[in-house]
């Protein structure tokens, strides 16, 4: 009996060491790997994901185009809605339901700081447009000018109120959690408003300076996905395993070319290029300025005699668009890499599920925020006039002088012009 048992054990052991034949599906899976990494071009689940992602992208682009058509105020409203969704996703990221039940009012405190930051940020950026809107009503003008004058004090008072509120809500055994939430909230405000608020400034400088950078990010994202989908084989960065060098390079070339061409198309529309100096929704008329006036370059001997075009018309802003395209294709994607690393740190796939196939709003805005800051700084450094213009002087008069002082300046200027006319006659 013992011999039989030993024999059966040996037989079983021998059978256990026999190499099991792989099924065809297993062989295919191993064959799709290179250096331990799956080849993205052979991923079978990507087609379903691509279909869902395509539907969502079409709807987003359609809605975005409609809002652009509606004008500056509607674009601003869209940005505010995006900021609210981003804040909600980030507020929920580290919140623990078990501790949240013991801290009533803590979520309300987060939103108190959020809207305080919103009042401070937009009060600074839109003070000139707001004053230009209410100048026809004397009483409303005085109220709004007073709010603008004391806006910083009001925002600081609201912040202090929230700060005291936070101290009064501290509880034993939750100190660490509460201070972690407080630090988390401050980082959210810095991320959401410290970067995306520049988007609103770009909008009122001219929709062109909002639409072109945002479009370049969308183009870069779409073509990085398409090039990676069909040609991607070489992983780009470990933080984002689905990113490939083929997608990165293909999207970069496409984005730079698109920037040069889109700047020419968008630069022909006054609706996109004229700055908005108030909060109205009417049509805009303005002198486009030298940036949007084509300059003609003779092709000369560079083309054969049968070529139909002998000269090339290029707007100066198209050369600046190349810088925006270069940043959008090379630097802005690192905003996405940062978000990927952030999600890996907290072991989540997406910040939310607001957009099918894309994740949350924050997943779509990571690169946009980086691009918005660069576009604003680039515009202020290389595009906006550096001297004192009439608009800047009027802005200073409206913001810093009382109604009586402004009226006195108006009367003095009238007397000066009248005296000059008499002297010339």
């Amino acid at each position: 009996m013992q011999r039989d048992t030993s024999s059966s054990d040996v037989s079983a052991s021998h059978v256990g060491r026999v190499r099991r034949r792989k099924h065809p599906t297993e062989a295919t899976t191993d064959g799709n790997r290179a250096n331990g990494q799956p080849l993205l071009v052979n991923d079978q689940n990507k087609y379903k994901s691509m279909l869902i992602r395509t539907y969502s992208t079409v709807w987003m682009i359609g809605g975005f185009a409609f809002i652009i058509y509606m004008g500056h105020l509607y674009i601003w409203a869209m940005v505010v809605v995006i900021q609210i969704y981003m804040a909600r996703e980030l507020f929920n990221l580290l919140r623990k339901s078990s501790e949240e039940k013991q801290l009533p009012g803590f979520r309300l405190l987060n939103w108190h700081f959020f809207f305080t930051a919103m009042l401070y940020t937009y009060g600074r950026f839109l003070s000139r447009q707001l004053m230009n809107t209410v100048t026809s009503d004397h009483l409303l003008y005085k109220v709004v000018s007073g709010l603008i004058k004391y806006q910083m004090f009001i925002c600081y008072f609201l912040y202090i109120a929230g700060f005291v509120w936070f101290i009064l809500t501290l509880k034993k055994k939750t100190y660490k959690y509460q201070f972690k939430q407080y630090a988390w909230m401050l980082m959210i405000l810095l991320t959401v408003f410290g970067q995306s608020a520049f988007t609103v400034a770009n909008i009122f400088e001219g929709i062109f300076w909002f639409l072109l950078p945002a479009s370049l990010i969308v183009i870069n994202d779409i073509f990085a996905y398409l090039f990676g989908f069909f040609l991607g084989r070489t992983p780009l960065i470990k933080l984002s395993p689905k990113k490939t060098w083929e997608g990165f390079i293909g999207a970069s070339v496409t984005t730079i070319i698109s920037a040069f061409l889109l700047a020419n198309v968008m630069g022909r529309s006054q609706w996109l290029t004229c700055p908005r100096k108030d909060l109205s929704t009417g049509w805009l008329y303005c002198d486009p300025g030298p940036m949007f006036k084509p300059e003609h370059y003779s092709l000369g001997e560079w083309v054969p005699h049968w070529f139909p075009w002998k000269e090339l018309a290029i707007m100066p802003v198209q050369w600046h668009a190349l810088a925006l395209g270069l940043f959008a294709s090379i630097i802005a994607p690192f905003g996405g890499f940062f978000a990927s690393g952030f999600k890996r740190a907290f072991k989540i796939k997406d910040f939310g599920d607001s957009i099918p196939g894309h994740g949350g709003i924050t997943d779509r805005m990571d690169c946009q925020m980086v691009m918005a800051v660069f576009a604003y700084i680039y515009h202020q450094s290389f595009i906006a006039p550096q001297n004192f213009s009439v608009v800047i002087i009027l802005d200073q008069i409206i913001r810093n002088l009382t109604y009586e002082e402004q009226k006195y300046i108006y009367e003095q200027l009238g007397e000066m012009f009248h005296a000059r006319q008499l002297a010339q006659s």
Side-chain angles (χ1 to χ4, degrees), residues 250-263:
S252 298
V253 175
T254 306
T255 303
I256 293 174
I257 296 175
S258 300
F260 190 79
L261 300 177
L262 279 177

Side-chain angles (χ1 to χ4, degrees), residues 182-415:
Y182 188 77
W184 182 246
M185 175 202 61
L186 294 179
M187 191 200 75
I188 291 173
L189 297 181
L190 178 62
T191 302
V192 174
F193 287 104
Q195 297 186 82
S196 58
F198 288 97
T199 304
V200 179
N202 292 336
I203 293 170
F204 286 89
E205 290 290 345
I207 297 178
F208 177 92
W209 300 108
F210 160 76
L211 181 59
L212 179 63
S215 300
L216 295 180
I217 293 296
V218 174
I219 291 172
N220 185 263
D221 185 55
I222 291 175
F223 280 93
Y225 181 78
L226 292 177
F227 277 102
F229 183 88
F230 292 106
L231 304 175
R233 294 179 179 274
T234 311
L236 175 63
I237 188 170
K238 292 182 178 180
L239 288 174
S240 298
K242 293 185 178 181
K243 305 289 185 182
T244 63
W245 275 105
E246 291 81 4
F248 182 80
I249 296 174
S252 298
V253 175
T254 306
T255 303
I256 293 174
I257 296 175
S258 300
F260 190 79
L261 300 177
L262 279 177
N264 185 280
V265 175
M266 295 180 184
R268 300 175 184 273
S269 171
Q270 287 192 355
W271 180 247
L272 298 180
T273 56
C274 291
R276 172 67 74 182
K277 302 184 184 301
D278 53 28
L279 299 181
S280 63
T281 57
W283 188 257
L284 291 172
Y285 300 95
C286 69
D287 180 6
M291 280 290 169
F292 298 98
K293 293 180 179 178
E295 296 179 351
H296 298 274
Y297 297 87
S298 177
L299 298 180
E301 299 178 354
W302 292 93
V303 295
H305 66 279
W306 51 264
F307 195 73
W309 295 287
K310 302 302 180 183
E311 62 179 13
L312 195 62
I314 298 177
M315 295 180 181
V317 74
Q318 290 181 255
W319 304 116
H320 294 282
L322 291 177
L324 296 177
L326 196 63
F327 186 91
S329 58
I330 297 179
I331 305 300
F334 280 86
F337 300 152
F338 176 84
S340 297
F342 195 84
K343 288 183 287 187
R344 283 180 173 272
F346 293 98
K347 298 179 181 180
I348 59 175
K349 181 180 179 181
D350 296 309
F351 286 101
D353 55 359
S354 305
I355 310 173
H358 292 265
I361 296 293
T362 309
D363 295 282
R364 292 297 91 206
M365 294 302 298
D366 44 16
C367 300
Q368 291 284 4
M369 291 189 297
V370 177
M371 189 67 196
V373 178
F374 175 76
Y376 176 81
I377 294 175
Y378 188 89
H379 178 270
Q380 295 298 316
S381 301
F382 300 103
I383 307 297
Q386 302 300 316
N387 55 348
F388 287 98
S389 63
V390 175
V391 175
I392 296 177
I393 295 174
L394 288 176
D395 181 48
Q396 294 295 323
I397 292 174
I398 292 174
R399 294 184 60 180
N400 299 317
L401 299 182
T402 63
Y403 178 78
E404 289 74 16
E405 292 172 334
Q406 295 173 19
K407 184 178 179 181
Y408 176 74
I409 290 179
Y410 174 77
E411 293 173 350
Q412 291 296 313
L413 287 174
E415 293 178 2

